[in-house]
Amino acid sequence: MQAKVINLTLPVSTKVSEKAAIRYQGHKIGEVSQVKLNQDLNTLNAQAYIYGHYANHFSASDTEYFIVDAQISLAGINAPETLLTGPYIGVIPGNSAEIIDDFVAQPHSSFEAAVPKDALAFQLVDDQLGSIKVGTPLFFRGIKVGQIDGYRLDDSGTEITLFAHVNAEYSHLINQTSQFWDASGITLDVGLFSGAQLETGSLETILAGGIAFATRDTTSDSNSINTTDRFTLHQSMQDEWALWRPTQAK
C-alpha cells in the first residue's frame, strides 16, 4: 500500500529532524521526510509519511501527535532511548471517522496516554504545586506503586488538581479512607521544651520528590474509589496514620 503524506506543525524549539521516526507504542509506523521553519518564526512544518497499512489508523481527526525527547531529572530519565536516536514523534490513534492530513504536534503526550489501561486513576488536591511534577512517584510503605500523571490549575485559581494512578497490582491498597501526604525533603520541627525533631523521607523521595499514603480500613465494595474521587494532599503525615495496618486482599 502507498504511504500517506501528512503535515505536522511543531513548536520552533523542537529538535526533530529529517528521518526522525514516528512511533506508536515503540513501533515505527512512519518517518519525517522534511522539516522547515514557518514564516511566523514560531513554528516548524514537518512533512512526514505514514506507512500505507497504518495510514487509516493515524489519520483520524482526533489522532494525537506529540514530541518524545529525553527529560533528565533526579527522578530518572524519561525516554532514555532518545539520547542515542534523537527526538521522535509519538502518536496515539484517534477514533473519529473524519480523515485529515494536517495535525498540530504537542510538546508532550497528554497524561492519559501514559496511564496503563488497568491502573486505578484518581485525583489529589493541593493549594501549591511545589516540587511535584509529572512522574513524581507514589509510595506505599516505601515501595513505589504509582505516580503523578499530570496537573491542572482549577478555574477558581485557588487549587491544583493532581492526576495520579497506582498500578493494577496495588489498586486494592487505596480506598476512601486513604490519606496522602508530601513525603519530599526534610522537615525540622523545633519545640520549646522538646528540642528538635528531624523528619525525613527516604533518599529517593528527598532527591526526586514523592507522595506517600496510608489506608485506615480494608478495601471493600462500599469504600472503593474511581477516577473522579479527590483526596487532599497533606503537607506531612499524622502520627496515627503510621499505626494503620488493615489486612488487604486483592
Side-chain angles (χ1 to χ4, degrees):
M1 297 179 64
Q2 185 175 3
K4 176 180 175 62
V5 177
I6 62 171
N7 294 295
L8 301 172
T9 299
L10 311 171
V12 71
S13 59
T14 303
K15 301 300 190 293
V16 170
S17 59
E18 295 180 10
K19 300 189 180 301
I22 300 176
R23 298 186 182 276
Y24 169 65
Q25 297 290 333
H27 302 285
K28 185 175 180 180
I29 56 93
E31 187 174 289
V32 174
S33 57
Q34 186 181 59
V35 180
K36 295 192 303 183
L37 178 66
N38 286 328
Q39 292 185 353
D40 62 9
L41 304 182
N42 293 317
T43 58
L44 303 173
N45 181 74
Q47 188 177 82
Y49 60 87
I50 305 296
Y51 300 148
H53 43 294
Y54 299 124
N56 289 338
H57 297 288
F58 300 102
S59 300
S61 60
D62 56 346
T63 298
E64 178 186 345
Y65 287 89
F66 54 92
I67 314 302
V68 180
D69 197 2
Q71 297 182 22
I72 302 174
S73 70
L74 291 172
I77 303 176
N78 183 40
E81 70 277 8
T82 61
L83 294 174
L84 298 177
T85 65
Y88 62 87
I89 305 293
V91 60
I92 302 296
N95 298 310
S96 173
E98 181 185 6
I99 301 299
I100 63 174
D101 300 327
D102 299 311
F103 299 89
V104 176
Q106 302 301 317
H108 308 285
S109 65
S110 64
F111 66 84
E112 292 92 345
V115 179
K117 297 295 184 183
D118 56 353
L120 176 62
F122 55 95
Q123 301 172 23
L124 299 172
V125 181
D126 200 357
D127 58 3
Q128 294 287 337
L129 184 62
S131 61
I132 295 171
K133 55 187 177 296
V134 173
T136 292
L138 269 60
F139 293 100
F140 184 80
R141 300 194 182 281
I143 296 175
K144 181 180 177 181
V145 298
Q147 70 172 41
I148 297 298
D149 302 306
Y151 50 83
R152 181 184 65 211
L153 179 65
D154 288 356
D155 292 340
S156 65
T158 61
E159 291 184 335
I160 305 292
T161 297
L162 306 170
F163 300 94
H165 82 268
V166 294
N167 297 327
E169 62 265 37
Y170 302 114
S171 61
H172 62 292
L173 300 175
I174 292 182
N175 60 49
Q176 293 175 11
T177 69
S178 298
Q179 297 287 346
F180 296 80
W181 67 92
D182 188 343
S184 307
I186 300 173
T187 300
L188 183 64
D189 182 13
V190 180
L192 182 61
F193 300 105
S194 60
Q197 179 181 356
L198 183 66
E199 298 179 1
T200 69
S202 68
L203 179 60
E204 181 175 358
T205 58
I206 291 172
L207 293 178
I211 294 170
F213 69 93
T215 300
R216 186 187 66 198
D217 297 341
T218 300
T219 301
S220 64
D221 291 341
S222 63
N223 64 14
S224 60
I225 68 169
N226 57 47
T227 56
T228 60
D229 281 320
R230 293 161 67 87
F231 297 86
T232 298
L233 178 60
H234 300 278
Q235 294 305 306
S236 61
M237 179 185 69
Q238 295 184 15
D239 292 341
E240 66 177 288
W241 300 346
L243 303 176
W244 292 350
R245 297 179 182 273
T247 300
Q248 303 285 15
K250 288 188 177 182

